[in-house]
Amino acid sequence: SWTYDEAPESTDHIQIKKQYELYIDGEFTKPVKNNYFDTINPSNGKKIASIAEASSEDVDKAVKAARKAFKGWAALTGKERGKYIFRIARLIQERAREFAVIESLDGGKPIRESRDIDIPLAANHFFYYAGWADKLEYAFPNRNPKPLGVVGQIIPWNFPLLMAAWKLAPALATGNTVVLKPAETTSLTALKLAEIIHESGIPKGVVNIVTGAGETGASIVNNPDVNKIAFTGSTGVGKYIQKATAGTNKKLTLELGGKGANIIFEDAAIDQAVEGIVNAIFFNQGHVCCAGSRLFVQESVADLVIEKLKRRMETLIVGDPLDKNTDIGAINSKKQLQTIENYIKIGINEGGEIYQPTCEFPKQGNWCAPTLFLNVSQSHRIVQEEIFGPVLAVQTFRTIDEVIEKANNTPYGLSAGVWTEKGSKIFHLTQKLNAGVVWGNTFNKFDATSPFGGYKESGFGREGGLHGLKPYVKFE
Ligand code: TXE
Protein backbone atom coordinates (compact mmCIF):
# COMPACT_ATOMS: atom_id res chain seq x y z
CA SER A 1 0.00 0.00 0.00
CA TRP A 2 1.84 3.05 -1.33
CA THR A 3 0.99 6.59 -0.47
CA TYR A 4 1.11 8.84 -3.53
CA ASP A 5 4.44 10.32 -2.62
CA GLU A 6 6.08 6.93 -2.13
CA ALA A 7 4.71 5.17 -5.20
CA PRO A 8 7.25 4.31 -7.88
CA GLU A 9 7.23 6.98 -10.56
CA SER A 10 4.93 5.86 -13.36
CA THR A 11 6.19 5.91 -16.93
CA ASP A 12 2.68 5.59 -18.41
CA HIS A 13 2.36 9.04 -19.92
CA ILE A 14 6.03 9.65 -20.59
CA GLN A 15 6.54 9.90 -24.32
CA ILE A 16 9.59 8.08 -25.53
CA LYS A 17 9.94 7.52 -29.26
CA LYS A 18 11.26 4.32 -30.77
CA GLN A 19 13.88 6.20 -32.75
CA TYR A 20 15.63 9.55 -32.30
CA GLU A 21 17.26 11.62 -35.05
CA LEU A 22 19.97 14.28 -35.07
CA TYR A 23 18.99 17.90 -34.51
CA ILE A 24 20.73 19.95 -37.20
CA ASP A 25 19.83 23.37 -38.61
CA GLY A 26 16.50 23.43 -36.82
CA GLU A 27 15.38 20.03 -38.10
CA PHE A 28 15.32 16.48 -36.83
CA THR A 29 17.42 14.79 -39.50
CA LYS A 30 18.41 11.21 -40.32
CA PRO A 31 22.13 10.50 -40.16
CA VAL A 32 23.88 10.41 -43.55
CA LYS A 33 25.06 6.83 -43.07
CA ASN A 34 21.76 5.73 -41.55
CA ASN A 35 23.47 4.17 -38.51
CA TYR A 36 21.70 3.90 -35.16
CA PHE A 37 22.70 2.57 -31.74
CA ASP A 38 20.64 1.41 -28.75
CA THR A 39 20.21 3.27 -25.53
CA ILE A 40 19.78 0.81 -22.67
CA ASN A 41 17.92 1.06 -19.36
CA PRO A 42 20.70 0.26 -16.87
CA SER A 43 18.25 -1.01 -14.27
CA ASN A 44 16.96 -3.89 -16.43
CA GLY A 45 19.30 -4.17 -19.43
CA LYS A 46 16.41 -3.52 -21.86
CA LYS A 47 16.61 -1.29 -24.91
CA ILE A 48 14.73 1.99 -24.55
CA ALA A 49 15.18 3.49 -28.05
CA SER A 50 17.38 3.72 -31.14
CA ILE A 51 19.60 6.79 -31.35
CA ALA A 52 21.12 8.21 -34.54
CA GLU A 53 24.88 7.96 -34.80
CA ALA A 54 26.43 11.09 -36.31
CA SER A 55 29.32 10.53 -38.71
CA SER A 56 31.88 13.21 -39.55
CA GLU A 57 29.64 14.22 -42.49
CA ASP A 58 26.76 14.88 -40.08
CA VAL A 59 29.05 16.81 -37.75
CA ASP A 60 30.23 18.82 -40.73
CA LYS A 61 26.62 19.67 -41.61
CA ALA A 62 25.97 20.71 -38.00
CA VAL A 63 29.07 22.93 -37.90
CA LYS A 64 28.08 24.55 -41.22
CA ALA A 65 24.58 25.24 -39.88
CA ALA A 66 26.07 26.75 -36.70
CA ARG A 67 28.45 28.89 -38.77
CA LYS A 68 25.60 30.13 -40.96
CA ALA A 69 23.52 31.02 -37.90
CA PHE A 70 26.36 32.73 -36.04
CA LYS A 71 26.26 36.18 -37.60
CA GLY A 72 22.55 36.68 -37.03
CA TRP A 73 22.60 35.28 -33.50
CA ALA A 74 25.60 37.33 -32.43
CA ALA A 75 24.00 40.46 -33.93
CA LEU A 76 20.82 40.14 -31.84
CA THR A 77 20.62 42.34 -28.79
CA GLY A 78 21.43 40.58 -25.54
CA LYS A 79 17.83 41.12 -24.51
CA GLU A 80 16.57 39.24 -27.59
CA ARG A 81 18.93 36.32 -26.97
CA GLY A 82 17.94 36.31 -23.32
CA LYS A 83 14.27 35.91 -24.27
CA TYR A 84 14.96 32.60 -26.00
CA ILE A 85 17.10 31.36 -23.12
CA PHE A 86 14.40 32.30 -20.58
CA ARG A 87 11.90 30.42 -22.73
CA ILE A 88 14.07 27.29 -22.67
CA ALA A 89 14.31 27.56 -18.86
CA ARG A 90 10.55 27.83 -18.49
CA LEU A 91 9.89 24.91 -20.83
CA ILE A 92 12.25 22.72 -18.78
CA GLN A 93 10.31 23.70 -15.66
CA GLU A 94 6.99 22.90 -17.31
CA ARG A 95 8.19 19.44 -18.36
CA ALA A 96 10.29 18.83 -15.25
CA ARG A 97 8.55 15.60 -14.33
CA GLU A 98 8.98 14.12 -17.80
CA PHE A 99 12.65 15.11 -17.85
CA ALA A 100 13.20 13.57 -14.40
CA VAL A 101 11.64 10.23 -15.31
CA ILE A 102 13.56 10.00 -18.59
CA GLU A 103 16.83 10.94 -16.87
CA SER A 104 16.37 8.16 -14.32
CA LEU A 105 15.27 5.60 -16.91
CA ASP A 106 18.15 6.27 -19.27
CA GLY A 107 20.94 6.94 -16.77
CA GLY A 108 19.99 4.97 -13.64
CA LYS A 109 20.00 7.77 -11.06
CA PRO A 110 17.37 7.78 -8.28
CA ILE A 111 14.25 9.71 -9.24
CA ARG A 112 14.53 11.77 -6.03
CA GLU A 113 17.84 13.12 -7.32
CA SER A 114 16.76 13.81 -10.91
CA ARG A 115 13.50 15.37 -9.68
CA ASP A 116 14.98 17.52 -6.89
CA ILE A 117 18.49 18.23 -8.14
CA ASP A 118 19.35 17.61 -11.81
CA ILE A 119 16.27 19.07 -13.48
CA PRO A 120 15.68 22.14 -11.25
CA LEU A 121 19.38 23.00 -11.40
CA ALA A 122 19.34 22.69 -15.20
CA ALA A 123 16.37 25.10 -15.44
CA ASN A 124 18.11 27.42 -12.99
CA HIS A 125 21.22 27.49 -15.08
CA PHE A 126 19.28 28.71 -18.11
CA PHE A 127 17.47 31.31 -15.98
CA TYR A 128 20.75 32.55 -14.52
CA TYR A 129 22.57 32.98 -17.85
CA ALA A 130 19.48 34.36 -19.58
CA GLY A 131 19.83 37.16 -17.02
CA TRP A 132 23.41 37.87 -18.07
CA ALA A 133 22.68 38.04 -21.82
CA ASP A 134 21.84 41.77 -21.76
CA LYS A 135 24.38 42.68 -19.06
CA LEU A 136 27.64 41.56 -20.60
CA GLU A 137 29.09 45.05 -20.47
CA TYR A 138 28.73 44.85 -16.66
CA ALA A 139 30.34 41.42 -16.59
CA PHE A 140 33.35 42.77 -18.50
CA PRO A 141 33.43 46.55 -17.98
CA ASN A 142 35.18 48.52 -20.78
CA ARG A 143 36.34 45.36 -22.52
CA ASN A 144 33.79 44.98 -25.32
CA PRO A 145 33.29 41.19 -25.12
CA LYS A 146 32.60 39.38 -28.40
CA PRO A 147 31.45 35.78 -28.93
CA LEU A 148 33.97 33.22 -30.21
CA GLY A 149 31.88 31.75 -33.03
CA VAL A 150 30.98 28.06 -33.31
CA VAL A 151 31.47 26.13 -30.08
CA GLY A 152 31.75 22.32 -29.88
CA GLN A 153 30.53 20.91 -26.57
CA ILE A 154 31.05 17.30 -25.47
CA ILE A 155 29.38 16.13 -22.28
CA PRO A 156 29.45 13.05 -20.01
CA TRP A 157 26.80 10.63 -18.79
CA ASN A 158 26.69 11.37 -15.08
CA PHE A 159 24.50 14.52 -15.18
CA PRO A 160 23.22 14.47 -18.76
CA LEU A 161 20.70 17.34 -18.79
CA LEU A 162 22.53 19.41 -16.20
CA MET A 163 25.83 19.22 -18.08
CA ALA A 164 24.04 20.21 -21.29
CA ALA A 165 22.66 23.25 -19.42
CA TRP A 166 26.07 24.12 -17.95
CA LYS A 167 27.52 24.15 -21.44
CA LEU A 168 24.71 25.64 -23.52
CA ALA A 169 23.42 28.48 -21.34
CA PRO A 170 26.62 30.61 -21.08
CA ALA A 171 27.57 29.91 -24.72
CA LEU A 172 24.19 31.15 -25.97
CA ALA A 173 24.03 34.13 -23.62
CA THR A 174 27.34 35.40 -24.98
CA GLY A 175 26.23 35.02 -28.63
CA ASN A 176 27.94 31.80 -29.74
CA THR A 177 26.32 29.02 -31.76
CA VAL A 178 26.71 25.42 -30.68
CA VAL A 179 27.20 21.82 -31.76
CA LEU A 180 26.64 19.67 -28.67
CA LYS A 181 27.18 15.95 -28.23
CA PRO A 182 25.70 14.06 -25.27
CA ALA A 183 27.33 10.86 -24.00
CA GLU A 184 26.29 7.71 -25.83
CA THR A 185 24.66 5.98 -22.83
CA THR A 186 22.50 9.00 -21.95
CA SER A 187 21.32 10.84 -25.06
CA LEU A 188 17.60 11.01 -24.27
CA THR A 189 17.29 14.15 -22.14
CA ALA A 190 19.56 16.09 -24.52
CA LEU A 191 17.23 15.06 -27.35
CA LYS A 192 14.22 16.06 -25.28
CA LEU A 193 16.01 19.37 -24.75
CA ALA A 194 16.39 19.65 -28.55
CA GLU A 195 12.59 19.45 -28.81
CA ILE A 196 12.23 22.25 -26.27
CA ILE A 197 14.88 24.36 -27.97
CA HIS A 198 12.98 23.88 -31.23
CA GLU A 199 9.77 24.91 -29.52
CA SER A 200 11.42 28.02 -28.08
CA GLY A 201 11.65 29.36 -31.64
CA ILE A 202 15.37 30.05 -31.38
CA PRO A 203 16.74 30.72 -34.91
CA LYS A 204 17.65 27.53 -36.73
CA GLY A 205 21.26 26.42 -36.56
CA VAL A 206 21.98 28.22 -33.28
CA VAL A 207 21.86 24.91 -31.38
CA ASN A 208 22.66 21.58 -33.06
CA ILE A 209 22.60 18.31 -31.15
CA VAL A 210 24.49 15.37 -32.59
CA THR A 211 24.44 11.98 -30.92
CA GLY A 212 27.09 9.27 -31.07
CA ALA A 213 30.14 7.94 -29.25
CA GLY A 214 33.84 8.89 -29.17
CA GLU A 215 34.22 9.05 -32.95
CA THR A 216 31.45 11.62 -33.21
CA GLY A 217 33.15 13.59 -30.44
CA ALA A 218 36.49 13.41 -32.24
CA SER A 219 34.83 14.72 -35.44
CA ILE A 220 33.71 17.80 -33.53
CA VAL A 221 37.17 18.25 -31.99
CA ASN A 222 38.92 17.94 -35.37
CA ASN A 223 36.51 20.04 -37.42
CA PRO A 224 38.57 23.03 -38.62
CA ASP A 225 35.62 25.44 -38.47
CA VAL A 226 34.99 25.03 -34.73
CA ASN A 227 36.36 27.92 -32.63
CA LYS A 228 36.21 26.38 -29.18
CA ILE A 229 35.84 23.00 -27.50
CA ALA A 230 34.28 22.63 -24.07
CA PHE A 231 34.64 19.10 -22.72
CA THR A 232 33.59 17.30 -19.56
CA GLY A 233 34.65 13.68 -19.23
CA SER A 234 37.57 11.40 -18.48
CA THR A 235 41.09 12.68 -18.04
CA GLY A 236 42.24 10.32 -20.83
CA VAL A 237 39.90 11.78 -23.44
CA GLY A 238 40.64 15.29 -22.11
CA LYS A 239 44.33 14.75 -22.82
CA TYR A 240 43.56 13.47 -26.30
CA ILE A 241 41.51 16.63 -26.98
CA GLN A 242 44.29 18.82 -25.62
CA LYS A 243 46.75 17.25 -28.05
CA ALA A 244 44.31 17.35 -30.96
CA THR A 245 43.65 21.08 -30.51
CA ALA A 246 47.25 22.07 -29.77
CA GLY A 247 48.63 24.32 -32.50
CA THR A 248 45.16 25.18 -33.79
CA ASN A 249 43.33 28.38 -32.96
CA LYS A 250 40.68 26.50 -31.00
CA LYS A 251 40.12 27.62 -27.46
CA LEU A 252 39.65 24.84 -24.91
CA THR A 253 38.15 24.22 -21.49
CA LEU A 254 38.41 20.82 -19.81
CA GLU A 255 36.42 19.56 -16.85
CA LEU A 256 37.99 16.21 -15.97
CA GLY A 257 38.17 13.68 -13.18
CA GLY A 258 38.66 14.08 -9.45
CA LYS A 259 39.51 12.36 -6.20
CA GLY A 260 37.93 14.67 -3.64
CA ALA A 261 39.06 14.72 -0.01
CA ASN A 262 36.38 14.84 2.66
CA ILE A 263 37.97 15.88 5.96
CA ILE A 264 36.28 15.30 9.32
CA PHE A 265 37.82 17.06 12.34
CA GLU A 266 37.19 15.88 15.90
CA ASP A 267 35.17 19.01 16.69
CA ALA A 268 32.69 18.41 13.84
CA ALA A 269 29.00 17.71 14.47
CA ILE A 270 29.48 13.98 13.99
CA ASP A 271 25.99 12.88 12.90
CA GLN A 272 25.82 15.71 10.39
CA ALA A 273 29.28 14.80 9.12
CA VAL A 274 28.26 11.15 8.66
CA GLU A 275 25.32 12.29 6.51
CA GLY A 276 27.79 14.47 4.63
CA ILE A 277 30.09 11.50 3.99
CA VAL A 278 27.14 9.48 2.62
CA ASN A 279 26.08 12.32 0.35
CA ALA A 280 29.65 13.01 -0.78
CA ILE A 281 30.31 9.49 -2.06
CA PHE A 282 26.98 7.73 -2.64
CA PHE A 283 25.08 10.57 -4.36
CA ASN A 284 24.44 9.57 -7.99
CA GLN A 285 26.09 6.14 -7.38
CA GLY A 286 29.39 7.97 -6.94
CA HIS A 287 29.36 8.94 -10.64
CA VAL A 288 30.40 12.44 -9.67
CA CYS A 289 33.67 14.10 -10.70
CA CYS A 290 33.76 16.04 -7.43
CA ALA A 291 32.71 13.08 -5.23
CA GLY A 292 34.28 12.87 -1.78
CA SER A 293 35.93 9.55 -2.56
CA ARG A 294 38.76 9.93 -0.04
CA LEU A 295 37.67 10.25 3.58
CA PHE A 296 40.09 11.63 6.19
CA VAL A 297 38.90 11.31 9.79
CA GLN A 298 40.78 12.72 12.77
CA GLU A 299 42.10 9.79 14.80
CA SER A 300 40.32 10.61 18.07
CA VAL A 301 36.87 10.25 16.44
CA ALA A 302 37.71 7.73 13.73
CA ASP A 303 36.20 4.64 15.44
CA LEU A 304 33.00 6.50 16.25
CA VAL A 305 32.62 7.96 12.74
CA ILE A 306 33.31 4.65 11.00
CA GLU A 307 30.89 2.78 13.26
CA LYS A 308 28.14 5.32 12.60
CA LEU A 309 28.93 5.32 8.90
CA LYS A 310 28.63 1.53 8.68
CA ARG A 311 25.25 1.60 10.47
CA ARG A 312 24.05 4.34 8.11
CA MET A 313 25.22 2.38 5.06
CA GLU A 314 23.09 -0.57 6.21
CA THR A 315 20.00 1.60 5.79
CA LEU A 316 20.74 2.72 2.22
CA ILE A 317 18.37 1.26 -0.36
CA VAL A 318 19.96 0.14 -3.62
CA GLY A 319 17.48 -0.52 -6.40
CA ASP A 320 14.88 0.72 -8.89
CA PRO A 321 15.78 4.30 -9.90
CA LEU A 322 12.07 5.11 -10.30
CA ASP A 323 11.26 4.14 -6.71
CA LYS A 324 11.13 7.27 -4.56
CA ASN A 325 12.69 5.39 -1.63
CA THR A 326 15.83 4.47 -3.56
CA ASP A 327 19.10 5.97 -2.34
CA ILE A 328 21.50 4.34 -4.80
CA GLY A 329 20.27 3.62 -8.32
CA ALA A 330 21.75 1.59 -11.18
CA ILE A 331 25.35 1.89 -12.32
CA ASN A 332 25.21 3.76 -15.62
CA SER A 333 26.59 1.04 -17.91
CA LYS A 334 27.98 -2.50 -17.88
CA LYS A 335 31.37 -1.04 -18.77
CA GLN A 336 31.33 1.30 -15.78
CA LEU A 337 30.21 -1.54 -13.49
CA GLN A 338 33.20 -3.59 -14.65
CA THR A 339 35.51 -0.64 -13.95
CA ILE A 340 34.15 -0.32 -10.42
CA GLU A 341 34.27 -4.08 -9.72
CA ASN A 342 37.82 -4.16 -10.98
CA TYR A 343 38.82 -1.38 -8.56
CA ILE A 344 37.15 -3.25 -5.70
CA LYS A 345 39.31 -6.29 -6.56
CA ILE A 346 42.41 -4.08 -6.73
CA GLY A 347 41.55 -2.63 -3.30
CA ILE A 348 41.26 -6.11 -1.79
CA ASN A 349 44.44 -7.36 -3.46
CA GLU A 350 46.37 -4.35 -2.19
CA GLY A 351 45.39 -5.29 1.37
CA GLY A 352 42.45 -2.93 1.99
CA GLU A 353 39.79 -4.05 4.48
CA ILE A 354 36.45 -3.99 2.68
CA TYR A 355 33.03 -3.33 4.22
CA GLN A 356 29.78 -3.69 2.27
CA PRO A 357 26.33 -4.00 3.84
CA THR A 358 24.22 -6.87 2.56
CA CYS A 359 22.05 -5.60 -0.26
CA GLU A 360 19.28 -7.26 -2.19
CA PHE A 361 19.67 -6.30 -5.83
CA PRO A 362 16.99 -6.54 -8.51
CA LYS A 363 17.57 -9.57 -10.77
CA GLN A 364 18.52 -7.63 -13.92
CA GLY A 365 20.58 -4.50 -14.34
CA ASN A 366 23.88 -3.04 -13.11
CA TRP A 367 24.20 -2.78 -9.32
CA CYS A 368 26.91 -2.08 -6.81
CA ALA A 369 26.66 -2.05 -3.00
CA PRO A 370 27.95 1.00 -1.13
CA THR A 371 31.56 0.10 -0.32
CA LEU A 372 34.10 1.20 2.30
CA PHE A 373 37.80 0.47 2.31
CA LEU A 374 39.68 0.75 5.60
CA ASN A 375 43.41 0.11 6.13
CA VAL A 376 44.47 1.94 3.01
CA SER A 377 47.29 4.42 2.54
CA GLN A 378 48.40 7.07 0.08
CA SER A 379 50.12 4.61 -2.24
CA HIS A 380 47.04 2.43 -2.82
CA ARG A 381 45.57 2.71 -6.29
CA ILE A 382 42.04 3.09 -4.91
CA VAL A 383 43.29 6.18 -3.05
CA GLN A 384 44.99 7.70 -6.08
CA GLU A 385 42.74 6.82 -9.05
CA GLU A 386 39.21 7.94 -9.86
CA ILE A 387 36.78 5.02 -9.52
CA PHE A 388 33.57 6.90 -10.35
CA GLY A 389 31.43 4.56 -8.28
CA PRO A 390 30.11 4.14 -4.69
CA VAL A 391 33.51 3.24 -3.24
CA LEU A 392 35.06 5.20 -0.37
CA ALA A 393 38.70 4.95 0.79
CA VAL A 394 39.11 5.85 4.48
CA GLN A 395 42.26 7.17 6.16
CA THR A 396 42.91 8.84 9.51
CA PHE A 397 45.06 11.81 10.51
CA ARG A 398 46.31 13.52 13.68
CA THR A 399 47.21 17.11 12.76
CA ILE A 400 45.89 19.73 10.38
CA ASP A 401 49.22 19.90 8.50
CA GLU A 402 49.23 16.15 8.04
CA VAL A 403 45.74 16.14 6.52
CA ILE A 404 46.55 19.08 4.22
CA GLU A 405 49.55 17.20 2.89
CA LYS A 406 47.61 13.96 2.45
CA ALA A 407 44.61 15.64 0.84
CA ASN A 408 46.85 17.43 -1.67
CA ASN A 409 48.78 14.29 -2.50
CA THR A 410 46.75 13.42 -5.61
CA PRO A 411 47.10 14.15 -9.31
CA TYR A 412 43.64 15.77 -9.20
CA GLY A 413 42.44 19.10 -7.80
CA LEU A 414 38.70 19.46 -8.15
CA SER A 415 36.91 19.33 -4.79
CA ALA A 416 37.22 18.96 -1.03
CA GLY A 417 35.00 19.16 2.05
CA VAL A 418 35.87 20.22 5.59
CA TRP A 419 33.74 19.38 8.64
CA THR A 420 34.48 21.34 11.81
CA GLU A 421 32.84 23.64 14.31
CA LYS A 422 35.52 26.26 13.66
CA GLY A 423 34.98 28.61 10.75
CA SER A 424 38.63 29.69 10.94
CA LYS A 425 39.74 26.13 10.21
CA ILE A 426 37.54 26.06 7.12
CA PHE A 427 39.02 29.34 5.85
CA HIS A 428 42.53 28.09 6.54
CA LEU A 429 41.90 24.92 4.55
CA THR A 430 40.29 26.71 1.62
CA GLN A 431 43.65 28.48 1.24
CA LYS A 432 45.77 25.35 1.64
CA LEU A 433 43.86 22.72 -0.33
CA ASN A 434 44.60 22.55 -4.05
CA ALA A 435 41.00 22.16 -5.10
CA GLY A 436 38.73 24.27 -7.28
CA VAL A 437 35.87 23.91 -4.80
CA VAL A 438 36.12 23.56 -1.02
CA TRP A 439 32.85 23.01 0.87
CA GLY A 440 32.49 23.83 4.59
CA ASN A 441 30.16 21.53 6.57
CA THR A 442 28.47 20.37 3.38
CA PHE A 443 29.37 18.55 0.17
CA ASN A 444 28.17 18.30 -3.45
CA LYS A 445 26.33 21.61 -3.28
CA PHE A 446 25.90 23.27 -6.66
CA ASP A 447 24.50 26.61 -7.65
CA ALA A 448 24.33 28.42 -10.98
CA THR A 449 25.91 31.51 -9.38
CA SER A 450 29.06 29.69 -8.16
CA PRO A 451 32.03 28.88 -10.35
CA PHE A 452 33.07 25.22 -10.60
CA GLY A 453 36.25 23.71 -12.05
CA GLY A 454 39.59 22.17 -11.24
CA TYR A 455 43.36 22.33 -11.08
CA LYS A 456 46.04 19.85 -12.15
CA GLU A 457 44.65 16.70 -13.86
CA SER A 458 41.11 17.87 -13.12
CA GLY A 459 41.34 20.32 -16.03
CA PHE A 460 41.04 24.07 -16.45
CA GLY A 461 38.38 26.71 -17.04
CA ARG A 462 35.37 27.47 -14.88
CA GLU A 463 31.65 26.86 -15.34
CA GLY A 464 28.94 28.66 -13.41
CA GLY A 465 28.70 32.21 -12.14
CA LEU A 466 30.31 35.19 -13.77
CA HIS A 467 33.47 33.12 -14.30
CA GLY A 468 31.47 30.78 -16.56
CA LEU A 469 30.94 33.53 -19.16
CA LYS A 470 34.63 34.17 -19.72
CA PRO A 471 35.52 30.99 -21.65
CA TYR A 472 32.94 31.98 -24.29
CA VAL A 473 34.12 35.52 -25.10
CA LYS A 474 37.10 37.26 -26.62
CA PHE A 475 38.13 40.88 -26.19
CA GLU A 476 39.13 43.25 -28.93
O1 TXE B 1 34.22 8.76 -20.36
P1 TXE B 1 34.59 9.51 -21.70
P2 TXE B 1 33.84 7.19 -20.17
C1 TXE B 1 35.69 9.27 -15.94
C2 TXE B 1 35.32 8.24 -14.92
C3 TXE B 1 34.94 7.06 -15.75
C4 TXE B 1 35.87 7.19 -16.93
C5 TXE B 1 35.42 6.54 -18.19
O2 TXE B 1 36.47 7.93 -14.15
O3 TXE B 1 35.14 5.86 -15.08
O4 TXE B 1 35.96 8.57 -17.12
O5 TXE B 1 34.14 7.02 -18.61
C6 TXE B 1 33.15 11.52 -25.46
N1 TXE B 1 36.95 12.61 -28.72
N2 TXE B 1 34.63 10.23 -16.19
O6 TXE B 1 34.75 6.32 -20.95
O7 TXE B 1 34.94 8.50 -22.75
C7 TXE B 1 32.11 10.50 -25.05
O8 TXE B 1 31.36 10.07 -26.16
C8 TXE B 1 35.95 13.37 -28.31
C9 TXE B 1 34.65 11.39 -15.38
O9 TXE B 1 32.42 7.02 -20.41
O10 TXE B 1 35.56 10.56 -21.36
C10 TXE B 1 31.32 11.28 -24.03
O11 TXE B 1 30.42 12.17 -24.67
N3 TXE B 1 35.00 12.94 -27.45
C11 TXE B 1 33.79 12.46 -15.92
C12 TXE B 1 32.39 12.09 -23.33
O12 TXE B 1 33.49 12.12 -24.22
C13 TXE B 1 35.11 11.70 -26.96
C14 TXE B 1 32.54 12.07 -16.56
C15 TXE B 1 32.83 11.50 -21.98
O13 TXE B 1 33.19 10.16 -22.15
C16 TXE B 1 36.17 10.85 -27.34
C17 TXE B 1 32.66 10.89 -17.39
C18 TXE B 1 37.13 11.35 -28.26
N4 TXE B 1 38.16 10.65 -28.66
C19 TXE B 1 33.67 10.00 -17.13
N5 TXE B 1 36.03 9.67 -26.68
C20 TXE B 1 33.66 13.67 -15.06
N6 TXE B 1 34.78 14.24 -14.66
O14 TXE B 1 32.60 14.17 -14.80
C21 TXE B 1 34.93 9.77 -25.93
N7 TXE B 1 34.35 10.99 -26.09
Side-chain angles (χ1 to χ4, degrees):
S1 61
W2 300 97
T3 64
Y4 176 75
D5 209 45
E6 286 172 337
E9 195 61 70
S10 153
T11 54
D12 288 354
H13 44 288
I14 299 297
Q15 304 246 326
I16 298 179
K17 295 183 204 153
K18 284 213 162 89
Q19 184 169 306
Y20 284 85
E21 311 298 350
L22 309 170
Y23 185 61
I24 298 177
D25 207 12
E27 277 173 37
F28 291 93
T29 331
K30 288 200 177 305
V32 172
K33 292 191 174 147
N34 213 31
N35 288 337
Y36 290 82
F37 60 96
D38 295 346
T39 192
I40 305 290
N41 178 338
S43 71
N44 61 19
K46 288 190 185 142
K47 173 178 171 177
I48 306 175
S50 296
I51 310 283
E53 183 185 313
S55 61
S56 61
E57 287 96 320
D58 297 303
V59 168
D60 204 43
K61 275 170 59 185
V63 173
K64 285 205 168 85
R67 176 61 59 200
K68 206 168 66 190
F70 174 61
K71 235 179 155 179
W73 180 244
L76 286 185
T77 61
K79 194 173 170 197
E80 280 295 315
R81 282 200 306 273
K83 266 199 228 167
Y84 292 109
I85 307 170
F86 273 125
R87 219 173 275 162
I88 295 169
R90 281 197 299 270
L91 286 166
I92 294 175
Q93 273 188 329
E94 273 171 29
R95 317 249 166 100
R97 184 173 165 276
E98 204 177 339
F99 267 111
V101 174
I102 295 176
E103 199 73 303
S104 286
L105 269 179
D106 201 22
K109 64 176 69 201
I111 187 75
R112 261 194 301 149
E113 291 179 10
S114 36
R115 184 193 65 187
D116 297 346
I117 299 167
D118 292 64
I119 312 305
L121 281 181
N124 249 339
H125 223 77
F126 280 105
F127 276 121
Y128 176 76
Y129 282 104
W132 270 121
D134 62 353
K135 300 174 195 72
L136 295 178
E137 70 268 34
Y138 300 104
F140 306 105
N142 306 319
R143 299 203 63 194
N144 197 15
K146 292 269 181 281
L148 301 174
V150 176
V151 176
Q153 304 186 317
I154 300 169
I155 58 171
W157 41 263
N158 53 344
F159 294 92
L161 183 72
L162 185 57
M163 288 302 109
W166 277 28
K167 296 268 181 289
L168 278 169
L172 296 177
T174 43
N176 298 278
T177 56
V178 175
V179 176
L180 177 135
K181 190 193 87 63
E184 55 272 33
T185 57
T186 53
S187 309
L188 285 182
T189 46
L191 291 163
K192 191 99 213 135
L193 181 65
E195 290 170 15
I196 275 183
I197 285 170
H198 190 74
E199 218 178 302
S200 77
I202 203 164
K204 63 180 190 170
V206 170
V207 179
N208 304 273
I209 297 192
V210 292
T211 39
E215 265 180 52
T216 309
S219 302
I220 299 176
V221 170
N222 295 315
N223 190 299
D225 203 26
V226 170
N227 301 97
K228 180 202 159 70
I229 298 290
F231 172 79
T232 299
S234 61
T235 300
V237 174
K239 284 188 176 166
Y240 156 78
I241 295 177
Q242 201 167 8
K243 279 193 198 130
T245 53
T248 69
N249 279 326
K250 288 189 182 97
K251 291 210 183 320
L252 179 64
T253 39
L254 297 175
E255 190 80 71
L256 309 175
K259 196 74 190 172
N262 201 5
I263 302 169
I264 318 293
F265 284 99
E266 60 191 358
D267 61 1
I270 297 295
D271 287 336
Q272 217 176 304
V274 169
E275 275 314 299
I277 297 167
V278 167
N279 172 48
I281 185 63
F282 302 129
F283 168 57
N284 198 27
Q285 296 73 250
H287 302 329
V288 182
C289 48
C290 53
S293 50
R294 292 179 300 151
L295 176 65
F296 295 96
V297 193
Q298 199 154 18
E299 217 172 71
S300 51
V301 290
D303 288 347
L304 177 68
V305 168
I306 289 158
E307 203 40 46
K308 283 185 182 257
L309 178 59
K310 285 180 173 172
R311 296 291 83 81
R312 179 68 178 94
M313 284 166 69
E314 284 164 7
T315 67
L316 294 174
I317 299 172
V318 182
D320 183 3
L322 292 185
D323 187 330
K324 287 168 188 143
N325 294 308
T326 293
D327 297 300
I328 300 180
I331 299 300
N332 182 267
S333 66
K334 278 220 148 47
K335 180 180 146 212
Q336 188 58 28
L337 181 60
Q338 278 163 7
T339 304
I340 298 168
E341 286 173 342
N342 195 36
Y343 271 114
I344 292 178
K345 275 193 205 124
I346 291 170
I348 294 169
N349 290 340
E350 284 185 327
E353 179 194 326
I354 188 171
Y355 171 78
Q356 287 177 320
T358 337
C359 295
E360 246 184 71
F361 296 146
K363 287 202 178 63
Q364 315 283 318
N366 315 325
W367 310 101
C368 182
T371 305
L372 272 193
F373 271 104
L374 304 164
N375 276 343
V376 293
S377 61
Q378 294 292 85
S379 60
H380 282 82
R381 281 184 65 192
I382 57 164
V383 173
Q384 288 297 327
E385 296 172 24
E386 183 179 52
I387 301 174
F388 225 57
V391 182
L392 179 64
V394 186
Q395 296 179 76
T396 58
F397 68 94
R398 284 190 182 158
T399 66
I400 193 163
D401 290 338
E402 179 192 349
V403 78
I404 290 168
E405 207 224 291
K406 281 182 168 169
N408 284 338
N409 182 358
T410 161
Y412 295 108
L414 191 55
S415 66
V418 181
W419 297 80
T420 168
E421 200 188 53
K422 277 212 162 128
S424 58
K425 236 188 261 175
I426 298 176
F427 285 117
H428 180 63
L429 264 78
T430 49
Q431 298 301 314
K432 296 288 178 187
L433 295 172
N434 298 326
V437 187
V438 180
W439 285 291
N441 292 326
T442 186
F443 213 101
N444 280 337
K445 272 258 152 49
F446 308 100
D447 191 277
T449 62
S450 303
F452 182 90
Y455 295 107
K456 303 196 282 185
E457 302 255 310
S458 296
F460 47 82
R462 295 291 178 265
E463 297 186 299
L466 178 56
H467 298 68
L469 291 167
K470 205 167 167 204
Y472 290 101
V473 294
K474 60 185 176 192
F475 304 108
E476 282 167 345

